[in-house]
Amino acid sequence: IALRQHVMDGAIVPVLIGAGVNGQGTTMLLQAVEKYFASPEKLEIAGTNTATGDVFEANYQDANPLTLKVWKTLVDPFIGKYSYVKVCSGVLRSDSALYNVNKEAEEKLNKIYVMRGKEAIEVSALRSGDIGAIPKLSVTVTGDTLATKAVPVMYERPEISKPYTYM
């Protein structure tokens, strides 16, 4: 119990080994995730409603208004541009109206995908706590928050350290 609590607090970071050959170590990794990591229902996340200035408690609840965090952007000449998102609250559907809170611009949404490697699998919806990808967003970049225009919630941008060497 103490080990699980410290892993969830971030005080301990488990290190597991594996190899891509024959998928060695994947079962042990999945068992560790199940045993030591918290499920999204138990996690808390809060942002700021930019319209009112109030704190918005998303907490990965489907009943709350739709909010998403863009945590990665992949641009590939063969598959195009995908914005990887985590749904913090609400349910994202392919007909949802999205609003980029950071850029104060509306985004057009056509399809939603779940990525498996570089393979994009189209899905009809993503629920709170799910990770997916949205193709061809025009102004959205990594770190932006997407929400509804009625409830424009902004989350803190991730703190990205400067690498020692980069291009």
Side-chain angles (χ1 to χ4, degrees):
I1 295 175
L3 181 61
R4 183 174 195 268
Q5 187 61 43
H6 288 303
V7 169
M8 288 192 308
D9 292 344
I12 296 175
V13 178
V15 177
L16 302 168
I17 60 170
V21 180
N22 300 326
Q24 296 172 328
T26 55
T27 302
M28 186 172 54
L29 171 67
L30 292 173
Q31 288 171 345
V33 167
E34 180 184 31
K35 188 173 183 178
Y36 299 117
F37 293 17
S39 71
E41 292 103 20
K42 296 180 181 172
L43 297 177
E44 296 177 355
I45 185 167
T48 305
N49 186 330
T50 58
T52 62
D54 296 335
V55 174
F56 177 79
E57 298 285 339
N59 297 340
Y60 303 105
Q61 299 295 319
D62 289 347
N64 288 344
L66 177 64
T67 62
L68 309 116
K69 288 173 70 171
V70 179
W71 57 274
K72 179 179 181 178
T73 304
L74 176 69
V75 181
D76 187 282
F78 300 108
I79 63 173
K81 177 183 173 186
Y82 283 98
S83 297
Y84 286 70
V85 297
K86 178 156 186 165
V87 182
C88 297
S89 63
V91 178
L92 176 66
R93 301 188 196 290
S94 57
D95 61 348
S96 299
L98 294 178
Y99 178 70
N100 187 322
V101 181
N102 299 79
K103 307 282 191 317
E104 297 182 358
E106 292 187 28
E107 286 282 14
K108 200 167 210 168
L109 177 65
N110 292 327
K111 296 180 181 181
I112 307 168
Y113 295 100
V114 173
M115 302 300 283
R116 182 170 45 195
K118 287 193 175 186
E119 178 188 0
I121 302 165
E122 188 174 350
V123 294
S124 59
L126 293 174
R127 305 183 76 75
S128 295
D130 288 347
I131 293 175
I134 303 172
K136 303 174 185 171
L137 294 177
S138 57
V139 297
T140 302
V141 296
T142 302
D144 284 354
T145 301
L146 299 171
T148 60
K149 198 165 188 174
V151 184
V153 175
M154 185 183 299
Y155 295 107
E156 287 186 31
R157 292 179 88 75
E159 190 174 310
I160 301 172
S161 61
K162 184 179 176 185
Y164 181 72
T165 58
Y166 59 94
M167 293 175 56

